[in-house]
Each structure stands twice: as structure tokens, then as C-alpha cells.
Amino acid sequence: MKRLNPIKAWFISLVGIYGVISAASPGTFRFLDRVDLVFHEAGHVIFGFFGEFIGILGGSLIQVLIPAGIVVYFAVHQQKYSAAVTLFWVAQSLFNVSVYAKDARARVLPLLGDDISAHDWHNVLGRLHLLNWDQVIGNLVYTMGLLALAASVLGGFYFSRDASTEE
């Protein structure tokens, strides 16, 4: 029987606690949100080459796709524990995006440049005629974050088992 590696189990526990804190108050700006913000803003530039609409949506897309890509990298290279831990970042990013999406009509979140007409989710949902669905869409994104967090923690514990301890 495989036994838990105590260091890996301890670390995924910390990740899970941070994840629960992030989920409980997704609107609170934390350290990892600063990293997300850099990728978010870069996403506008990168996806902007594919048109204005995709450029607007590109911020939130790349903010989630970068950590998701790292999860895929670890999974492809059979580094399953690392993939599970990194999946937490996807969850945290989804929590962050959910707050932004839910703010589409109200537009009260502080934005870089303070121009509320540049609110990504207001523009995206407005163009899709889904502005009245901002809360539903934000809640859906948040729920995806919860599922990713649960998979991260459960996977992290599962992959914390050491093959070297088989009896």
C-alpha cells in the first residue's frame, strides 16, 4: 500500500486552505492576483491580433489558459502531483474572473486607467446581448473554479502517495 508523502500532503493542505480562503472572498486582492493581472493585461495585447472582441475577451482567457497550460505540461510529463497543485492556480484564476464577470452591469471594480467604458465583461456580454446574465455567468465561472479547486486538492492528496512505500 502506498503511503502519503508528509511534505506533499502538508503542501497540498496549505494550497487547499489558500484555495478555500480565495473561494470564500474572491473579490479580495491577494498576491497571486498580481500575477494574474500581468497575464490578463498581456492577453489583451496577444489576442488583440485576432480582432477587437477577442482582444477584449483575451485578458480573461489567457489569465486562465496560462495556468491551465502549465497543468497540461505537468500532466503530459507524468508529473501528476505538480499538475494537481497547479490546477489550484486555474481555480484561483476562475474565482478572479468570476468577480469581474459579475461586475459587468455594475462596473464598480477599480480598473487600470479608471475608464469604466473599458470594462472587459461589460463589453463582451453587452456585445453578446447577455449583460443581464452577468450574475449567472459569473456564478458559472465561480462554480468551475470550485470544481477545479476540489480536483486540485483531491488529486494532490491522491498523487502525494509515494510508490517507494509499497509493501
Side-chain angles (χ1 to χ4, degrees), residues 90-137:
V90 174
Q92 179 275 335
S93 242
L94 287 167
F95 297 147
N96 186 284
V97 169
S98 78
V99 171
Y100 200 10
K102 288 166 100 175
D103 186 58
R105 276 183 288 171
R107 295 188 287 177
V108 295
L109 287 176
L111 303 176
L112 295 179
D114 294 326
D115 179 8
I116 65 167
S117 69
H119 193 291
D120 299 348
W121 281 93
H122 178 83
N123 289 311
V124 166
L125 296 179
R127 289 180 187 196
L128 295 173
H129 306 288
L130 295 172
L131 203 50
N132 290 332
W133 289 80
D134 64 344
Q135 300 303 302
V136 172
I137 292 166

Side-chain angles (χ1 to χ4, degrees), residues 149-160:
L149 177 60
S152 170
V153 174
L154 293 173
F157 277 114
Y158 182 80
F159 297 119
S160 291

Side-chain angles (χ1 to χ4, degrees), residues 40 42-62 65 120 123-124 127-128:
H40 181 97
H44 292 307
V45 175
I46 294 165
F47 282 97
F49 290 110
F50 301 104
E52 184 183 14
F53 180 81
I54 297 297
I56 294 168
L57 188 58
S60 293
L61 281 176
I62 208 159
L65 289 175
D120 299 348
N123 289 311
V124 166
R127 289 180 187 196
L128 295 173

